[in-house]
Amino acid sequence: MKKIFKLFLASLLMLGSVGCSNTTPQDDKQDTTNNLVETEVLVIGGGGAGLAAAASAGEQGAKVIVLEANGLVGGSTLYSGGHMAMLHEEMNAAMERNDADLEAYLNYEEADFGEWAEALTRLKQQVTDYLASNSTGRFDSVERMLVDHYLTGRGTDIDGIEVTQDYQLVKASLEANWDIFTWLQSGGMEIENSFYKVHANSPVNGGSGLVNALKELAANAGAEIILNTRGTELILEDGRAVGVKAVDKEGSEIIYRATKGVILATGSFSSNGTMASEYQRIGTGLTAENGSTNPPTNKGDGILMAQSAGAQLLDMQFMSTVMQGYHGASNLSQAGNITGNKQLVVNAEGVRYGDETKGTFTNLTNDQTSGLGFYIGDKTMVNAMNAKTEGFTTDMTERGFMFIADTIEEAAELAGLDAAVVKATVDTYNSYVENENDPEFGRSTFNGKVENAPYVISKMEMHYHLTFGGLVIDEFAHVLDTNSNPINGLFAAGDILSGFEGKVHQSGDCLSVVVYSGKLAGESAANNK
């Protein structure tokens, strides 16, 4: 179900008037003669999608400029594992048959798949033929990729509104999987010699390996990359996007004009706490104060600029969160050492809120006050964390979010919790451990009572990780307005888009869509489509 959201005024104010202006070329040249730069294709954002767009447009013969707000390119792609969807026939042929994995597909009903049903129908026939054959090797296909993508991504927000999955965009991206791979190979990307998961492989050196290949392709295509420069305002003339106003690291405003097209590739808005908290409908406890795992420049600039030009927004309430130390005090690996060795967890009120051993437990923290969870243990937990990483608890304590004391009450006070409530919660938990029964949440496995000093409490917080909503594009990557008509001269690619993740992050498929949409936007802009 489609639902268009309006942006709150507070987001606009916080972001410093990111938007659009209607000007004339004469005005720009008269007022900013020394700060006017002209090109043919202008790309806003130098992450995976922006670099792909720059390389693609340059290969079409266009003069290209990329504006990147950070001091280096790569964006969220650089932070990622770089995993790409891939049907590697040679690697599949070397594997065992996978009959047992395929029979379930035959039981799905097309009526439940909507527009995606055509992929299911073709997959059923492929599976039937494979099961009846004597062929060797593992079966896979684009249709299997598509069906798995749909099944993984479907779902609703906390209000019951169903997420949108753009079949045509995902289909085009996955059908192009091998073309994308060979293109990246020409930029020097290599892949590991084993699958990352069923439909995906990982580049050597992960996200940096992918970014380096895209940088090489963009450089070979003659694209100019300008760092530490943030696009702030879209320039429109007679309804056409012709450039942006930007600010460099010295704070000087520069006008960048593009004769063929402007491509928005500014990524997600997960580092804009105000924007994320106002839109999100994945939890009741998340606030504007929750941190982000992404570059600090991922503030939704492109979405705001496009919206000011009348762009349509879709599924802005869908996003993902991950657990880290309070206000980013740990990285994901360090957070994993804490969460993997906890004995019990309480919320800001000092009480447990779920079975801590369940894989879905972390997401329950989205509904707790301020998205906070306090991970508690005793000597057992302390020793386990230090055994994994020498000096770990000393390091984390110095960062100010881990608290260690000789009594559970002292640790609770240091963590800002009600000591009496926490003590009562721990005592009750210990009784469950002794009886091997948790009547509150049904937990059945435990890792000891919390009864031996030193006691540890870590203040953990849900961080905005990825946002799944954004702009809507057509088959040429034109940004669509609220009437679903293309905005002339305006294109978009990557995490700024809606509709390709679904309700959850789809590692592997995600970056394939990011690169494909960037490549598509570059070709379309360069050729004035």
Side-chain angles (χ1 to χ4, degrees):
M1 176 179 179
K2 296 186 176 181
K3 188 174 182 179
I4 299 170
F5 288 77
K6 293 185 178 180
L7 186 66
F8 288 84
L9 179 60
S11 294
L12 290 169
L13 294 174
M14 189 193 79
L15 285 168
S17 300
V18 175
C20 78
S21 64
N22 288 278
T23 67
T24 66
Q26 291 78 12
D27 290 338
D28 287 340
K29 291 181 180 179
Q30 288 172 0
D31 296 339
T32 58
T33 303
N34 296 324
N35 289 315
L36 173 64
V37 180
E38 296 180 316
T39 189
E40 292 181 316
V41 174
L42 180 63
V43 182
I44 315 301
L51 291 172
S56 177
E59 288 173 358
Q60 297 295 309
K63 180 181 178 182
V64 183
I65 289 178
V66 180
L67 304 183
E68 169 54 50
N70 287 297
L72 74 168
V73 296
S76 298
T77 303
L78 191 62
Y79 287 52
S80 75
H83 315 301
M84 302 284 290
M86 195 174 300
L87 287 178
H88 198 301
E89 293 183 3
E90 183 177 345
M91 290 176 65
N92 277 317
M95 300 182 72
E96 298 293 327
R97 283 178 62 98
N98 57 332
D99 299 50
D101 300 330
L102 303 175
E103 294 175 356
Y105 295 110
L106 301 177
N107 298 321
Y108 290 119
E109 298 292 337
E110 278 83 350
D112 298 327
F113 278 68
E115 189 179 8
W116 298 68
E118 64 175 18
L120 177 61
T121 299
R122 290 196 297 270
L123 176 59
K124 284 182 175 180
Q125 186 60 57
Q126 293 168 354
V127 168
T128 299
D129 293 345
Y130 175 81
L131 294 176
S133 74
N134 295 319
S135 62
T136 60
R138 184 180 74 170
F139 167 80
D140 204 1
S141 68
V142 169
E143 287 73 20
R144 187 182 177 203
M145 285 180 162
L146 287 167
V147 169
D148 285 351
H149 187 100
Y150 174 75
L151 292 171
T152 300
R154 64 183 177 178
T156 63
D157 64 15
I158 60 178
D159 300 315
I161 298 172
E162 189 170 351
V163 72
T164 304
Q165 295 193 73
D166 188 333
Y167 175 63
Q168 296 302 329
L169 174 59
V170 177
K171 177 174 180 286
S173 301
L174 296 184
E175 285 180 339
N177 74 89
W178 200 254
D179 290 337
I180 291 172
F181 170 56
T182 55
W183 186 56
L184 293 168
Q185 271 189 314
S186 70
M189 190 182 85
E190 299 177 4
I191 60 168
E192 302 288 353
N193 59 7
S194 61
F195 281 100
Y196 158 63
K197 63 179 186 179
V198 175
H199 311 304
N201 292 82
S202 302
V204 173
N205 297 321
S208 62
L210 173 55
V211 168
N212 286 338
L214 289 167
K215 283 170 58 180
E216 183 70 14
L217 290 168
N220 291 342
E224 179 184 0
I225 298 174
I226 302 174
L227 301 175
N228 298 304
T229 301
R230 175 190 173 205
T232 60
E233 192 172 341
L234 189 65
I235 301 172
L236 298 176
E237 291 175 6
D238 298 325
R240 178 181 176 84
V242 297
V244 299
K245 293 180 180 180
V247 177
D248 64 18
K249 62 181 178 180
E250 281 80 31
S252 299
E253 183 177 272
I254 305 171
I255 302 295
Y256 289 90
R257 295 184 59 83
T259 58
K260 291 189 172 183
V262 176
I263 301 172
L264 299 175
T266 56
S268 75
F269 55 95
S270 59
S271 292
N272 183 337
T274 298
M275 190 172 175
S277 65
E278 287 173 347
Y279 275 121
Q280 72 84 19
R281 295 301 295 153
I282 62 168
T284 58
L286 299 172
T287 74
E289 299 305 313
N290 291 93
S292 172
T293 62
N294 279 284
T297 50
N298 280 22
K299 291 187 177 294
D301 287 358
I303 290 175
L304 294 172
M305 285 190 280
Q307 190 183 25
S308 72
Q312 180 182 162
L313 302 184
L314 184 64
D315 285 352
M316 293 288 284
Q317 75 272 35
F318 290 97
M319 56 193 72
S320 66
T321 54
V322 296
M323 181 73 78
Q324 286 190 319
Y326 184 63
H327 283 13
S330 77
N331 60 34
L332 290 174
S333 175
Q334 292 160 342
N337 193 13
I338 296 167
T339 60
N341 289 298
K342 84 280 185 183
Q343 288 170 276
L344 74 151
V345 183
V346 302
N347 58 21
E349 288 70 44
V351 297
R352 293 175 65 224
Y353 51 92
D355 179 351
E356 296 92 340
T357 65
K358 296 294 185 183
T360 56
F361 172 77
T362 299
N363 285 335
L364 296 178
T365 314
N366 289 333
D367 293 323
Q368 306 307 308
T369 300
S370 299
L372 294 175
F374 295 80
Y375 283 63
I376 298 177
D378 67 356
K379 183 178 180 180
T380 299
M381 181 178 174
V382 170
N383 289 345
M385 291 188 292
N386 286 329
K388 183 174 181 180
T389 304
E390 185 177 355
F392 183 80
T393 58
T394 298
D395 182 10
M396 298 300 109
T397 300
E398 289 175 350
R399 298 187 188 197
F401 76 101
M402 182 178 284
F403 310 95
I404 298 178
D406 291 332
T407 68
I408 192 65
E409 292 95 333
E410 289 178 274
E413 289 177 358
L414 290 171
L417 297 171
D418 186 312
V421 173
V422 172
K423 179 64 165 60
T425 298
V426 170
D427 287 344
T428 300
Y429 171 82
N430 284 341
S431 72
Y432 296 164
V433 177
E434 185 172 342
N435 296 322
E436 297 184 350
N437 177 49
D438 175 6
E440 287 186 271
F441 302 109
R443 179 171 172 175
S444 58
T445 59
F446 305 90
N447 54 339
K449 291 183 179 180
V450 178
E451 59 182 354
N452 296 309
Y455 297 89
V456 60
I457 299 180
S458 295
K459 185 177 183 179
M460 309 293 284
E461 176 187 55
M462 299 307 291
H463 286 60
Y464 298 114
H465 183 48
L466 297 168
T467 55
F468 303 142
L471 305 178
V472 181
I473 59 171
D474 65 11
E475 68 273 23
F476 298 109
H478 295 118
V479 176
L480 301 185
D481 65 16
T482 54
N483 295 314
S484 295
N485 296 316
I487 298 174
N488 198 10
L490 189 62
F491 305 84
D495 286 342
I496 196 173
L497 303 178
S498 64
F500 70 88
E501 292 264 38
K503 186 181 179 181
V504 300
H505 174 48
Q506 305 218 33
S507 182
D509 290 5
C510 167
L511 282 175
S512 291
V513 179
V514 165
V515 174
Y516 172 82
S517 62
K519 194 170 186 292
L520 173 66
E523 291 173 356
S524 296
N527 292 303
N528 281 310
K529 288 186 178 179

